[in-house]
Amino acid sequence: MCGYVGKFSINNFYSEDVYQANRFNVCRGPDDLQTLEGNQNKINYSLVFNRLSILDLTNKAAQPMQDSYGNIIMFNGEIYNHRELRKYLESRNVKFTSNHSDTEVLLHGLKLLGTKFLKMAIGQFSIMYLNRNENTLTLIRDRVGQKPLFYYKNSQDLLISTNLKTILKLKKDFDIRDDSLMEYFDTGVISAPNTLFKEVYKLQPGEVVTFSIEENFRYKKYKFWSIDNATLTNKKPFIQEEFKELLIDSIKIRQDADVKVANLLSGGIDSTTILKIAKENTSSNSLNTFSITNKGTQFDETKWINDVIEKYDVSYQKVDIDVNNIHLDLIDESIEAFDEPYSDPSTVPSYIIYKEISKHYKVAISGDGGDELLGGYTRILKTLNRSKNKRSYLNFYPAFLGSGNKLSINQQNLDNAYLSFFKDPKFLKLLNLKSSNLDEKFINFEESEYMSMINFDYRYYLPEMMMLKVDRASMANSVEIRSPFVDHRLIEYMLASNFEVTNYEDQKKPLKKILSEDFSDTFINRKKMGFVFDLKKWIYGNSHYLSDFFNKESIIVGNLNPEIMKTLSINKSNMNAQRIWRIYFIEKYLNSLKNL
């Protein structure tokens, strides 16, 4: 993994400003820093690249990388089938200078086939490609949004970066978008293509944006891959062995690295399945695992983690999340890792485990994406089994009590019922804000409520929430996370199959079949826990600090409702603790911008 920044301008500018703004990207690639300055068709540019060396550790794989035609690439991510693609390109008489750089594979592939080459690539990536001959600059984001890419443009300048704060530092002035602020307080995140700030955008998953250098950065964009196109109505039979073979290959190609690879182990179905397959298909005698535990709480899965460790005889390290020992400095450090607001409190344990992994490893394999792939979230079953009342009493539900999800889920309308797990319009009411437009991202397949929810999770929850959390928390600690369950081949296979017909009532049945020979029904069919820590205990245990912070440091919420902390402390619930966390996160984030 890596991080980069580029500035393109019709004017002369100080490259030192670009170097200074790059400091937010350094954590993404602390192993090496390279710069490149030049001119393309009277456009001046300055590029800075930070490398996390994982594949082909030699200088021949360094970036920014140029080919013999002067085309330039900066690439954050990994192409897992780079060896196969290299052989294909060599068969087309392409000459390589590196030994096995996936960056050089991308560079030559884009030169030979253009963006059509992306359809052949398996991986996670955000790419900048400067085509000398066509006078174009192309930005590309991977299919499910694992890697971020931001940009700002006007008629004279184009700024690009893998980090939002880097763009803000270069832009020097920025204004908050009202609709983005409402979306954040409603859902806890701001979805692409928007950011919190006017005129600053992030690429959507699977998107290609091409800027014309000759025409004042005029641009066009399209998607080379979309979850909507992958969802077929004429379903093929789901075959367990076909699925398993795809999963085995997905895990195998993600073990390819020139550095040691660790494994995240939660003790759940997803990470345990990956560990089993990795154990059966690796030449190494031992695999290395890292786990988060919550000893003495309802969230503790130590017993299940120990069962997996004993069964597969793997080495392990455990980090216990005790709220009493999580100091404020560590909480704030985890927030500082995020270059844009995101209020899921699981960012804290995520940050802590990646921080521990970084002491020994640069790469780890995780089970992220398994719930989206196999409909594993409990909210799906709750929505399918809702009572579908014709009347909703949500309007009478007091906002200070919570979001009213238990009422709103029982609506007949699928969109409103499922979105109640993501939206909190009652919170917006407390802040005197209007509702956001998350409804526009929901696609309702009339023949299948199940597929409508799976589609929404892929369109919204996975890229905008899950992948954002994984990327920011891991890369802040210079750790690359590889997630086999988000391999697009697996996603396409599941969406094209009739999996839902026989499996939605027994969630993750394909993985349970794989594990059934090793574990009991109690292990396989237990209740899903999730990756959490006791937020309610932390919030209300630090209420005096939080109240004092809001009174003294508030930039946004103090103007919306200065009494919000008191209101949300009347009913000390999990929901209100999450609301307070949402406020705290964005206030800390906005305060951090003072020091850009």
Side-chain angles (χ1 to χ4, degrees), residues 474-489:
S474 61
M475 294 311 299
N477 293 289
S478 306
V479 175
E480 172 187 311
I481 299 300
R482 299 177 173 184
S483 307
F485 288 117
V486 299
D487 191 303
H488 75 276
R489 297 171 300 168

Side-chain angles (χ1 to χ4, degrees), residues 239-273:
I239 300 174
Q240 174 74 15
E241 286 307 310
E242 289 181 350
F243 170 83
K244 186 177 179 181
E245 287 303 312
L246 278 173
L247 180 58
I248 290 172
D249 188 65
S250 176
I251 295 169
K252 182 179 179 181
I253 61 177
R254 283 166 176 77
Q255 293 174 306
D256 181 14
D258 294 333
V259 296
K260 296 185 297 181
V261 178
N263 289 267
L264 284 156
L265 175 62
S266 69
I269 297 297
D270 301 336
S271 62
T272 303
T273 302

Side-chain angles (χ1 to χ4, degrees), residues 390-409 411 416 424-427 429-430 435:
K390 291 183 179 181
R391 293 187 59 187
S392 173
Y393 297 94
L394 185 62
N395 290 336
F396 303 103
Y397 190 82
F400 72 89
L401 288 181
S403 67
N405 165 256
K406 291 183 180 179
L407 291 174
S408 55
I409 189 182
Q411 299 176 72
N416 294 336
D424 190 358
K426 293 289 184 179
F427 186 35
K429 184 176 181 180
L430 290 175
S435 181

Side-chain angles (χ1 to χ4, degrees), residues 161-297:
S161 182
T162 50
N163 184 282
L164 177 57
K165 286 184 178 179
T166 297
I167 299 283
L168 301 181
K169 174 70 174 176
L170 283 172
K171 192 172 180 292
K172 297 181 180 178
D173 63 328
F174 42 85
D175 297 311
I176 291 176
R177 292 177 58 117
D178 291 339
D179 57 344
S180 292
L181 188 65
M182 287 186 287
E183 182 181 4
Y184 171 79
F185 282 121
D186 195 8
T187 67
V189 74
I190 299 159
S191 55
N194 295 330
T195 68
L196 183 60
F197 307 99
K198 295 178 180 178
E199 301 178 316
V200 183
Y201 300 96
K202 53 185 170 183
L203 267 69
Q204 298 182 74
E207 189 171 50
V208 178
V209 183
T210 299
F211 299 87
S212 172
I213 293 177
E214 295 178 310
E215 301 177 279
N216 299 107
F217 305 121
R218 183 179 179 182
Y219 68 93
K220 58 182 179 180
K221 54 186 179 180
Y222 76 97
K223 286 194 173 184
F224 77 92
W225 190 90
S226 170
I227 194 68
D228 298 333
N229 295 333
T231 306
L232 302 180
T233 54
N234 296 321
K235 305 293 187 180
K236 299 177 182 178
F238 173 83
I239 300 174
Q240 174 74 15
E241 286 307 310
E242 289 181 350
F243 170 83
K244 186 177 179 181
E245 287 303 312
L246 278 173
L247 180 58
I248 290 172
D249 188 65
S250 176
I251 295 169
K252 182 179 179 181
I253 61 177
R254 283 166 176 77
Q255 293 174 306
D256 181 14
D258 294 333
V259 296
K260 296 185 297 181
V261 178
N263 289 267
L264 284 156
L265 175 62
S266 69
I269 297 297
D270 301 336
S271 62
T272 303
T273 302
I274 290 174
L275 194 64
K276 172 183 171 64
I277 291 174
K279 180 74 173 180
E280 293 173 347
N281 293 275
T282 182
S283 57
S284 173
N285 292 327
S286 178
L287 295 174
N288 305 287
T289 66
F290 288 79
S291 303
I292 284 284
T293 59
N294 296 266
K295 293 181 180 178
T297 74

